[in-house]
Amino acid sequence: MRRTVIAGNWKMFKTVDESVELVTALKPLTSNLKPNVDVIVCPPFTSLAIVANLLKGSNVKLGAQNMSEQDEGAYTGEVSWKMLKSAGCEYVILGHSERRQYFGETNELINLKAKKALANGLRPIICVGEKLDEREKGVTEQIISTQIKGVLGGISSDDLKKVIIAYEPVWAIGTGKTASPLQAEEVHQHIRKLVAQLYSWNVAEGLVIQYGGSVKPDNAAELLAQDDIDGALVGGACLKADSFASIISASPSR
Ligand code: PEP
C-alpha cells in the first residue's frame, strides 16, 4: 500500500527565528503519526540547516523548494544538491508552478534537475498542473501528459520509486479555490494510467501522487480519502503549526 505523504511548502516565508518557532511548535504535534504517514517540511534555503538540527529525532523530514541542475560552479544565486544534502535535506520540490511561471522553468529543465537529484540521493517532489484557461478549454489531460512525459524522460523504473508527483492545478494554488475531490481524483487516475503506460502497472501502483492547491484543515479529509490521492503539498496552511497538524491528522489510516 502506498504511503500518505504530507509536505509543507513554506515558499518565501519565515526568517530563521520564525522557522525555529514554527518547527518547535510542530514537533510535539507530529510525535504520534499514523504508521502510514510521512511528513516533510520545505523551508527556505536560509533556514534548512537550523530546521534540520531541530528535527533530529523527530518524525518530520526535510526538503528544499528548488535545486540547481548543475553540480557546482559560477552560478550566482544557485544552490546545489550537495549543499542541500549537507544541510540535511532528503527531498526537493522541483518544477513548482511558481518556478515555471516567474522563473521560466521548463519541463526539460525540471527533468535535468530531477535526474540530478536522483543521481545524488535526493527524492524529488515534481509538480505538474494545468492553468485555468487550459482547464476551461478541456485540455487538462493533454497538458498533464506533456508535463509528465517531459519531466520523467530518461528516469528509470528504479528511480521512479523515489519520485513523488504533486498534482497542483495552477488555478487552485494560493487562491482559496480547491479542485473538488472528484476533479482531483480524475487527474490523479490519469497520471497513474499514463505512468503505467510509460513504465508498468507495478510501478504506477507504487507511485505517490500528492494533491496541492488550497488544501486546508476543512477540505483535507475529503481529498485524502480519494483512492489515488496519496498525500498533499500544502502552501498557506502549513505556515501555522496547528493547521498543518490538522491536515496531517486528516490523513486516512490505510
Ligand atoms: C503550494 O505552494 O504548493 C500550494 C499548493 O499552495 P496553497 O496550499 O497555498 O494553495
Side-chain angles (χ1 to χ4, degrees):
M1 198 62 211
R2 292 184 294 274
R3 299 187 64 73
T4 298
V5 184
I6 310 291
N9 173 13
W10 296 11
K11 309 197 188 195
M12 199 172 73
F13 293 103
K14 306 292 179 189
T15 61
V16 171
D17 287 350
E18 289 164 348
S19 302
V20 169
E21 200 182 317
L22 175 54
V23 101
T24 305
L26 187 63
K27 261 169 63 166
L29 302 178
T30 48
S31 56
N32 266 321
L33 294 180
K34 291 175 187 150
N36 60 311
V37 175
D38 292 326
V39 175
I40 306 165
V41 291
C42 304
F45 293 135
T46 44
S47 296
L48 287 173
I50 198 159
V51 168
N53 222 12
L54 288 168
L55 290 179
K56 277 187 191 142
S58 80
N59 287 324
V60 181
K61 296 163 198 228
L62 188 66
Q65 299 172 23
N66 185 26
M67 188 197 89
S68 171
E69 77 284 12
Q70 305 289 344
D71 288 311
E72 63 180 357
Y75 300 103
T76 303
E78 289 292 276
V79 172
S80 72
W81 62 266
K82 210 183 276 183
M83 294 167 185
L84 298 186
K85 284 193 76 172
S86 75
C89 290
E90 284 178 63
Y91 293 84
V92 59
I93 300 173
L94 296 177
H96 190 280
S97 66
E98 289 150 13
R99 301 292 321 166
R100 291 173 184 262
Q101 187 179 345
Y102 304 128
F103 304 96
E105 294 203 6
T106 60
N107 292 326
E108 292 69 34
L109 178 66
I110 297 158
N111 175 247
L112 289 179
K113 292 183 177 198
K115 288 194 279 205
K116 185 62 76 180
L118 287 162
N120 293 291
L122 280 169
R123 295 190 60 181
I125 301 175
I126 307 179
C127 305
V128 295
E130 81 286 4
K131 300 194 190 101
L132 183 59
D133 63 314
E134 294 165 338
R135 176 157 282 269
E136 285 172 351
K137 276 188 225 144
V139 294
T140 297
E141 292 196 354
Q142 245 167 279
I143 296 292
I144 300 294
S145 297
T146 305
Q147 291 178 340
I148 290 284
K149 286 181 194 158
V151 298
L152 295 185
I155 292 180
S156 69
S157 307
D158 264 359
D159 273 346
L160 194 71
K161 291 179 189 149
K162 295 169 210 135
V163 170
I164 294 175
I165 297 288
Y167 166 56
E168 299 206 307
V170 179
W171 49 271
I173 297 179
T175 58
K177 287 185 197 152
T178 319
S180 70
L182 194 66
Q183 278 176 323
E185 173 65 11
E186 271 170 10
V187 179
H188 283 232
Q189 282 180 4
H190 172 72
I191 294 172
R192 207 175 298 288
K193 275 188 208 144
L194 180 62
V195 170
Q197 281 165 22
L198 297 172
Y199 292 85
S200 67
W201 260 117
N202 199 25
V203 169
E205 278 294 326
L207 179 68
V208 169
I209 309 175
Q210 296 175 315
Y211 169 78
S214 299
V215 177
K216 306 271 181 256
D218 60 0
N219 61 21
E222 222 189 337
L223 286 158
L224 292 168
Q226 302 301 308
D227 282 351
D228 289 279
I229 299 185
D230 312 311
L233 181 52
V234 184
C238 78
L239 297 173
K240 291 212 163 92
D242 54 352
S243 61
F244 192 48
S246 306
I247 293 171
I248 295 164
S249 38
S251 305
S253 316
R254 299 210 202 251

